[in-house]
Amino acid sequence: MQSIQEILLTIRSVKLTDLDSWRERLVVWVAAMTAGFIVVMFAKAAEYATSFFFSLQKTSWWLPLVVTPAGGMLIVWITNRWFLGAGGSGIPQTIAALQDKGSRSEHPKLIGLKLAFGKIFLGVGALAAGFSSGREGPSVQVAASVMHAFRRFLPSGFSVHPKHLILAGGAAGISAAFNTPLAGIVFAIEELGRHFEQKTNGVIITAIVLSGLVSMSLEGNYTYFGHITVGKIDKDIIAPIIVCGLVCGVLGGIFSRTLIESSTRMNGKLGVFRALHPLWWAGFCGVLVALLGAISDGAAHGSGYIFTQNILNGTNTSTWQYAPIKYLATIFTYLSGVPGGIFAPSLSIGAGIGNDMLPLFGHYHAATAISVLCMAGFLAAVTQAPLTSFIIVMEMIDGHEMVISLMAISLIAAIISRIFSTPLYSTLADKQISSITNDNQKPQTNME
């Protein structure tokens, strides 16, 4: 049993009586709850924007042919004029901010409240215009910006580096966006912070817990796609894991390589046109997305949430064309330069690939499991973050019975993807850092 002196020493070591330490904790708690609240509001605004676009499309099939390109041009113009650094999902910008050599840099071109506002406003606008994007990736930069902004309220001698607020905010953003707290922690370790320090644990976990509590209090304790019944999982799933892992690995690797290659100057006449006329280029990409939407009854637009849910629930009426159409629409959206993420579209593409591969496994009765496997496999191939991919899918469908299967296909797909592409987010983050270090070069606006 501890003596009185030992107990008092323990209390002093954890700073339970230190007012500055309590102020430090309070600032972090308020920052995390604020970030969670803003991410939830972002999600609600994105839902309204998506509903608005689809209601517009139902009014007249040709309206997207006008709204999408015009909206893309306006969004890119606003981004280039006032919100440089807000393009794409913001995950590379967040990673770049963490890798910045400046020990206490303000990261004005990567992280900030102005960029967070622009990300939300323009990201919602991109969905309202009908582009194929998601709000989950942008939530990383938004939450990281919000938490980092609270550093000014910390007492002097703060025990955790301000950059750790960026790391914690990014993790909280993923957690609150998908309501997947475990995936938020793994995402922080695997993707955002390659060097995970013990003293950062408390900040990250606290941010995820508090942002998650705010999310649950506003939207309830839900799973992103609801509880999905996948049926019996046995040895028959081994063949689908291998085949789907190979297919998703190849397609995801090519997808990732395309985004990376297009982040630099394109060759040929199209490259010259894109460099000289970014607004017209955004309009051209918008036309392509609108045309894909016209021939697919709207499947090319939005994050793909509704179509994915229909596939998982067995009420899907889409043809085999859904996956390739969503695949191309997401690439064209990225090329346009509008802010928007690829997390949700990648999950949707994966579900479509799984739906198309069902005839190959006609003997296998757990048909929904094939789509779930491909969701994790394609996301892992695109991001080359297999741990985050399988955990996020597992939490999104409440599918703990598939944990081994999801883990296996994510690892296979990520390994195959490396044949075709370098890691997407870290590569784009390196490009972001290179562009910022050159004083004469503006930050790229189509970073995903």
Side-chain angles (χ1 to χ4, degrees):
M1 183 175 179
Q2 287 184 317
S3 65
I4 298 297
Q5 288 183 341
E6 289 174 331
I7 293 174
L8 292 176
L9 182 62
T10 302
I11 292 175
R12 283 195 295 269
S13 66
V14 295
K15 300 181 180 180
L16 293 181
T17 58
D18 188 338
L19 293 180
D20 280 343
S21 294
W22 279 109
R23 177 186 169 190
E24 175 182 299
R25 295 185 185 104
L26 182 62
V27 169
V28 172
W29 295 345
V30 173
M33 290 187 289
T34 303
F37 175 78
I38 292 175
V39 168
V40 172
M41 293 299 101
F42 184 16
K44 290 184 177 294
E47 291 174 6
Y48 284 121
T50 303
S51 299
F52 166 78
F53 175 80
F54 281 116
S55 65
L56 198 67
Q57 184 199 34
K58 290 179 181 178
T59 303
S60 183
W61 68 269
W62 56 265
L63 277 178
L65 294 173
V66 177
V67 173
T68 304
M73 294 175 70
L74 177 61
I75 290 168
V76 170
W77 180 74
I78 294 174
T79 302
N80 291 342
R81 187 172 180 84
W82 288 297
F83 298 104
L84 279 174
S89 80
I91 293 178
Q93 288 94 324
T94 305
I95 295 174
L98 289 168
Q99 295 176 350
D100 188 0
K101 300 301 181 182
S103 60
R104 294 185 181 269
S105 170
E106 299 292 327
H107 314 292
K109 297 182 180 179
L110 302 170
I111 296 293
L113 291 180
K114 177 183 176 181
L115 288 181
F117 171 78
K119 181 72 72 176
I120 294 173
F121 174 71
L122 298 171
V124 169
L127 288 170
F131 282 94
S132 176
S133 61
R135 45 86 181 172
E136 293 78 13
S139 296
V140 171
Q141 188 179 16
V142 169
S145 296
V146 171
M147 286 205 65
H148 187 251
F150 274 82
R151 75 198 182 283
R152 66 193 63 183
F153 302 112
L154 293 170
S156 58
F158 181 45
S159 60
V160 179
H161 196 284
K163 284 187 179 180
H164 296 153
L165 293 176
I166 300 177
L167 178 62
I174 283 291
S175 174
F178 284 114
N179 194 30
T180 53
L182 182 57
I185 296 173
V186 175
F187 179 72
I189 300 172
E190 185 178 37
E191 196 65 65
L192 293 182
R194 302 287 180 172
H195 305 289
F196 190 63
E197 302 177 27
Q198 184 177 2
K199 64 182 179 180
T200 317
N201 295 4
V203 178
I204 292 176
I205 294 174
T206 299
I208 289 173
V209 169
L210 292 176
S211 64
L213 287 174
V214 171
S215 176
M216 284 190 293
S217 66
L218 295 175
E219 299 197 277
N221 187 17
Y222 72 101
T223 51
Y224 194 80
F225 286 117
H227 178 75
I228 305 299
T229 302
V230 296
K232 182 181 178 182
I233 303 296
D234 53 28
K235 61 182 177 61
D236 290 336
I237 203 171
I238 295 177
I241 288 174
I242 296 174
V243 175
C244 292
L246 293 173
V247 172
C248 289
V250 172
L251 295 177
I254 295 173
F255 182 90
S256 179
R257 179 66 176 270
T258 302
L259 301 190
I260 291 173
E261 292 295 329
S262 62
S263 67
T264 56
R265 186 180 180 90
M266 296 172 59
N267 297 323
K269 294 181 178 180
L270 280 179
V272 174
F273 177 73
R274 177 189 182 188
L276 296 178
H277 308 286
L279 301 186
W280 289 110
W281 171 259
F284 171 69
C285 292
V287 169
L288 295 178
V289 173
L291 289 173
L292 289 170
I295 64 176
S296 63
D297 194 25
H301 303 293
S303 67
Y305 174 83
I306 296 176
F307 291 90
T308 303
Q309 194 168 46
N310 290 339
I311 290 173
L312 297 179
N313 292 334
T315 58
N316 174 54
T317 58
S318 302
T319 64
W320 64 269
Q321 298 172 327
Y322 176 71
I325 283 176
K326 193 65 179 173
Y327 190 100
L328 292 174
T330 305
I331 289 176
F332 292 142
T333 296
Y334 171 84
L335 289 173
S336 71
V338 300
I342 63 167
F343 253 90
S346 293
L347 292 169
S348 184
I349 293 168
I353 292 172
N355 187 64
D356 291 343
M357 296 184 68
L358 289 180
L360 296 178
F361 311 106
H363 66 285
Y364 188 64
H365 63 277
T368 303
I370 306 299
S371 295
V372 171
L373 286 173
C374 288
M375 288 169 63
F378 189 78
L379 182 62
V382 171
T383 63
Q384 291 187 22
L387 296 180
T388 300
S389 299
F390 91 78
I391 290 175
I392 207 168
V393 172
M394 179 189 70
E395 289 191 284
M396 286 168 60
I397 66 168
D398 193 20
H400 295 82
E401 68 273 19
M402 290 192 67
V403 59
I404 301 300
S405 304
L406 292 172
M407 185 185 303
I409 192 171
S410 297
L411 290 173
I412 293 172
I415 291 172
I416 297 299
S417 173
R418 292 172 189 168
I419 300 173
F420 301 90
S421 175
T422 55
L424 176 64
Y425 290 133
S426 60
T427 302
L428 293 180
D430 291 339
K431 292 178 180 293
Q432 191 77 282
I433 293 173
S434 297
S435 68
I436 290 176
T437 54
N438 186 346
D439 294 334
N440 297 322
Q441 181 179 1
K442 293 189 298 183
Q444 301 209 14
T445 60
N446 62 339
M447 289 289 98
E448 168 45 42

